Amino acid sequence: MTTIPLPLSARRPVMPVLAALSVAHLLNDLVQSMIPAMYPLLKEAYRLDFLQVGLITLAFQVTSSLLQPLLGWLTDRKPWPHAMVAGMASTLCGLVGLSFAGSYGMVLVSAALIGLGSAVFHPEATRMARHAAAGRQGLAQGVFQVGGHAGYAAGPLLAAAIVVPRGQASLVWFSGVVLVAMALMAWTASRYAAFRRAEAADKSGHVEPAASHGLPRGKILLAMAILIVLLMSKNGYSAAFTSYYTFYLIERFGVTLQFSQVMLFAYLVVGAIGVIIGGMVGDRIGRDRVIWLSILGTLPFALMLPYADLLWTGILSIVISLIMASAFSAILIYAIDLVPHRVGLVGGLFYGLSFGLGGIAAAGIGALADKIGIVQVFWLCAFLPALGLLTFFLPRGARQV
């Protein structure tokens, strides 16, 4: 499948822009990751059950998932890159609110505000990354997403080192991170606006991207449905780790909270490595093959995890994270290449689904854990990667080779 045509001046990826987007993504997701990293602290402070813990994730992720497709559709019609700065202001309000929340309700509102910031950031940042890719879509998405994975990995480690020993109010110290992210977003938005002005001034004009795969509308919809189910399997299993891995380790092996946070960090930081490797490999061997490897390839290790001791639990978790990390970028690029003239809508839809499905899965897993225990839940979730078999039904005409 073809990629979006770019101006002749952009024959190579614009690495300064991609690097700035990656760092902004790192800082944005660093703040987001403070929410699940604080779950043990919040659970004790507000005397929550696992369902209420899952509802915090739901408040954050549903806010983001509902708004991202809408914002993506709007920015397809009229790009608005500087909106990312305003979105990050919402994240700042949520961070301050979470630091000084006096009730469980305030925690939910603050989490929702942080989700709003993500809803504004991801669709427009996805468009910028694709524009700066110069045809290297896997590399560009890998660079962009490695920042998000690294930030999400660093959050639990920082929470263990700073927030857990000093209390919930110390979360406000990370406001400086948000301000730095706002400055980076302002610079990147200015560069992107300059690119668009240059394109408008180019007499040759900017060719509107068009799909060349020749698939009928029905097969495109089928492919989108399959990609959504694959995303559901990935995010359902990932939600067990991001929201409940610390509880699993504490209950099953009796480790300390700080040690469990370090193991969560290891799981997440390896994902940052896997996402950029998967993006580069996808440019060479095709997106569908990466999806096969990243989702279905996780299955044997996921099935072994519930029976492993502490050492092998750590090893298997790292292997699972490394393999599964590339799934989202491969799914996203595959979907965008199906309808390349709707980058914002597809980016917003799939990022929104990623957050929304993760939130629903977290709430569902929490409710199930209250009934059967968190250890048994991890055993059940191990079968989710088997849905990767659906990759076989992706339309052959859309497969990249």
Side-chain angles (χ1 to χ4, degrees):
M1 296 170 60
T2 58
T3 55
I4 287 184
L6 292 170
L8 293 177
S9 59
R11 289 174 179 169
R12 291 183 297 176
V14 187
M15 293 309 298
V17 172
L18 291 176
L21 285 170
S22 183
V23 175
H25 201 183
L26 184 154
L27 299 176
N28 180 76
D29 285 19
L30 171 67
V31 173
Q32 295 176 28
S33 69
M34 303 304 292
I35 299 176
M38 289 180 59
Y39 283 170
L41 190 66
L42 295 173
K43 188 174 188 294
E44 181 179 354
Y46 299 98
R47 298 181 179 180
L48 308 178
D49 56 28
F50 281 119
L51 176 58
Q52 289 174 308
V53 171
L55 289 175
I56 299 174
T57 303
L58 187 63
F60 158 69
Q61 295 186 344
V62 167
T63 302
S64 180
S65 67
L66 290 176
L67 290 179
Q68 284 197 56
L70 174 62
L71 292 172
W73 178 77
L74 290 173
T75 55
D76 277 334
R77 300 169 66 87
K78 185 176 178 59
W80 187 24
H82 287 89
M84 295 191 302
V85 181
M88 207 61 191
S90 174
T91 299
L92 180 61
C93 293
L95 184 67
V96 173
L98 190 59
S99 304
F100 301 107
S103 65
Y104 176 64
M106 186 62 187
V107 170
L108 294 177
V109 171
S110 300
L113 286 172
I114 295 174
L116 176 61
S118 285
V120 176
F121 172 75
H122 286 103
E124 201 64 24
T126 299
R127 184 197 317 282
M128 292 182 188
R130 189 166 178 89
H131 186 93
R136 300 286 302 278
Q137 302 302 335
L139 173 64
Q141 280 297 321
V143 171
F144 173 58
Q145 291 186 30
V146 74
H149 278 262
Y152 213 84
L157 193 65
L158 292 173
I162 298 174
V163 180
V164 171
R166 290 173 175 80
Q168 185 177 341
S170 62
L171 190 64
V172 76
W173 297 356
F174 292 90
S175 298
V177 169
V178 181
L179 295 175
V180 172
M182 292 173 73
L184 270 174
M185 290 175 185
W187 178 83
T188 307
S190 298
R191 288 295 306 272
Y192 181 65
F195 291 158
R196 291 186 60 83
R197 286 195 298 269
E199 288 172 359
D202 189 345
K203 292 182 180 180
S204 63
H206 178 61
V207 180
E208 185 69 18
S212 63
H213 46 66
L215 292 176
R217 181 183 179 87
K219 287 193 175 181
I220 293 175
L221 293 175
L222 172 65
M224 287 290 188
I226 292 172
L227 293 173
I228 289 170
V229 174
L230 293 172
L231 190 64
M232 180 180 68
S233 71
K234 174 196 177 299
N235 281 54
Y237 191 54
S238 297
F241 277 90
T242 55
S243 294
Y244 301 104
Y245 188 43
T246 53
F247 296 113
Y248 174 81
L249 294 171
I250 292 170
E251 180 174 329
R252 181 148 188 241
F253 301 109
V255 299
T256 64
L257 174 58
Q258 284 81 359
F259 184 81
S260 70
Q261 295 283 21
V262 171
M263 289 192 67
L264 178 60
F265 168 77
Y267 167 83
L268 294 171
V269 77
V270 168
I273 300 170
V275 71
I276 193 165
I277 293 175
M280 295 173 68
V281 170
D283 283 336
R284 293 182 177 273
I285 70 172
R287 314 298 169 201
D288 62 318
R289 294 188 178 98
V290 172
I291 296 171
W292 268 110
L293 294 171
S294 60
I295 298 181
L296 191 61
T298 306
L299 183 61
F301 304 103
L303 292 174
M304 288 188 285
L305 182 70
Y307 304 99
D309 59 18
L310 180 59
L311 173 62
W312 278 103
T313 293
I315 294 172
L316 290 171
S317 298
I318 287 173
V319 173
I320 289 169
S321 178
L322 184 66
I323 296 174
M324 186 172 278
S326 61
F328 181 74
S329 60
I331 291 170
L332 177 63
I333 296 171
Y334 194 106
I336 290 175
D337 283 339
L338 288 171
V339 283
H341 57 296
R342 291 287 183 264
V343 178
L345 175 60
V346 174
L349 175 64
F350 276 79
Y351 272 110
L353 281 172
S354 179
F355 286 122
L357 292 172
I360 293 170
I365 290 171
L368 192 59
D370 285 331
K371 293 184 177 181
I372 67 174
I374 196 67
V375 174
Q376 188 69 11
V377 162
F378 265 73
W379 179 82
L380 289 174
C381 289
F383 293 92
L384 285 172
L387 290 172
L389 289 168
L390 290 174
T391 306
F392 179 79
F393 296 101
L394 287 174
R396 294 183 182 276
R399 293 184 181 182
Q400 295 178 339
V401 295

